[in-house]
Amino acid sequence: MADNALKKSRKRRHCCPDLPAKRRLIDPSQSSQKRLVLYTLSSELLRCLGLFLRRRCYKLDLSPTQVIGWLKNIDNYLLIMGYQPVSFLSSGSVVFLYMLCRDLISPEADTVEKLQVSLLTCYFITHCYTGNENGYPETPFLLGSRKAFWDRCLSYISIMSSKMMQINSNRQIYSETLAELKAVGR
């Protein structure tokens, strides 16, 4: 029993600062700053992400629940197939996904398939960067050719690498991104 607890404590930790595994001591120079809001229900943030994408892709007849459905279908598939022990859709992962979508999904997407391809690529990168596992299967995220998928992944990572590192290491950036996403739902 003690061995299992030790193994669990050694698991790879999530990148997002709202998770207990990432709590850090507050820097005394920052103690006078306004307190950062680091947590919101993931269901609320998913709704905000769906609204953001509906507004961003104004040319499409898109429902926010449609977007949420795409993400939850993949999440459920990964749970059922044993690739993850619990749902991936936490507040931290949704904020990270929003950051990618905000900067990578074009408002000029003129088909639902183009949006879905970009979104699922961002979701795959989110899994790879913030997930519990060392690797995730590409299959549930894949629409179209494998080569195009991997080219898109590499392109997106190249564009977003510095921001992915910043949101992971800077609570202020995470908090600002969270607040921006929440503002979409107001």
Side-chain angles (χ1 to χ4, degrees):
M1 191 93 161
D3 289 337
N4 285 341
L6 183 60
K7 286 179 184 176
K8 286 181 182 178
S9 70
R10 290 183 184 167
K11 273 191 167 182
R12 183 175 166 207
R13 301 189 189 276
H14 292 282
C15 79
C16 299
D18 68 331
L19 300 173
K22 284 300 237 186
R23 298 227 192 272
R24 298 183 190 102
L25 294 175
I26 296 175
D27 181 2
S29 65
Q30 295 177 349
S31 63
S32 63
Q33 292 178 351
K34 193 163 59 169
R35 187 172 182 176
L36 303 176
V37 177
L38 298 175
Y39 183 78
T40 301
L41 292 174
S42 59
S43 57
E44 179 187 342
L45 294 178
L46 281 170
R47 183 185 63 79
C48 293
L49 178 64
L51 289 169
F52 165 77
L53 289 170
R54 185 181 75 189
R55 292 175 187 154
R56 166 66 58 98
C57 301
Y58 61 91
K59 295 179 180 180
L60 304 177
D61 183 24
L62 185 69
S63 162
T65 56
Q66 190 176 8
V67 170
I68 295 167
W70 297 336
L71 301 175
K72 284 189 172 187
N73 283 341
I74 292 173
D75 194 53
N76 288 334
Y77 172 84
L78 294 172
L79 279 167
I80 291 167
M81 298 307 288
Y83 287 103
Q84 57 191 26
V86 295
S87 175
F88 178 75
L89 293 169
S90 67
S91 59
S93 63
V94 176
V95 170
F96 189 92
L97 176 60
Y98 165 73
M99 177 194 69
L100 295 178
C101 291
R102 177 192 66 198
D103 292 358
L104 296 170
I105 293 183
S106 170
E108 301 304 316
D110 54 359
T111 67
V112 171
E113 185 178 65
K114 284 182 183 176
L115 168 63
Q116 192 175 17
V117 162
S118 290
L119 175 65
L120 296 186
T121 304
C122 291
Y123 194 39
F124 179 77
I125 293 167
T126 301
H127 267 80
C128 292
Y129 193 80
T130 67
N132 281 328
E133 302 302 321
N134 289 332
Y136 288 90
E138 68 188 16
T139 308
F141 302 91
L142 188 62
L143 294 175
S145 82
R146 277 192 159 82
K147 182 178 178 353
F149 173 77
W150 288 110
D151 288 347
R152 214 172 24 260
C153 282
L154 292 174
S155 171
Y156 286 7
I157 290 168
S158 176
I159 293 167
M160 296 300 294
S161 180
S162 65
K163 287 187 178 182
M164 292 189 309
M165 295 297 286
Q166 286 175 344
I167 199 169
N168 184 33
S169 63
N170 187 324
R171 287 183 147 215
Q172 184 67 36
I173 292 173
Y174 176 84
S175 183
E176 289 168 2
T177 307
L178 172 61
E180 184 181 317
L181 177 57
K182 286 173 65 174
V184 171
R186 291 188 190 127

